[in-house]
Amino acid sequence: MDNEAEQKCIYCQAEFNKLLREQELANWGRWLPPLIKVTHWYCVLCQYNYMDLKQCPCCQQGIYSIAIDNN
């Protein structure tokens, strides 16, 4: 099969487009900053600072908690 026929083939196009998408996704993630795990929380309902899991030890909820800078 010649190059022109491959470009018109829908099966070849699908495979080529898949490869392009994978390359684009790989390049896209390179400029993202690394994820920082949040370990310090503040419950606005109880007004309580706590660490580790996002579940306040006082009210047993995580929905009222906001992240605090880890520094």
Side-chain angles (χ1 to χ4, degrees):
M1 192 182 276
D2 63 343
N3 193 18
E4 187 176 329
E6 285 180 359
Q7 289 178 353
K8 292 180 181 178
C9 173
I10 60 170
Y11 299 108
C12 295
Q13 286 178 352
E15 188 63 30
F16 183 70
N17 288 339
K18 179 183 171 194
L19 293 172
L20 284 177
R21 279 194 310 273
E22 289 173 355
Q23 287 176 352
E24 202 169 304
L25 280 174
N27 290 334
W28 186 72
R30 289 187 185 148
W31 59 268
L32 292 173
L35 294 177
I36 299 171
K37 183 177 179 181
V38 177
T39 57
H40 293 83
W41 302 96
Y42 175 73
C43 180
V44 295
L45 180 67
C46 304
Q47 298 178 350
Y48 185 74
N49 288 323
Y50 62 97
M51 293 175 58
D52 294 327
L53 296 177
K54 186 182 176 182
Q55 182 177 6
C56 177
C58 295
C59 66
Q60 301 298 315
Q61 299 291 320
I63 192 167
Y64 304 109
S65 300
I66 57 174
I68 297 176
D69 190 17
N70 289 345
N71 296 334

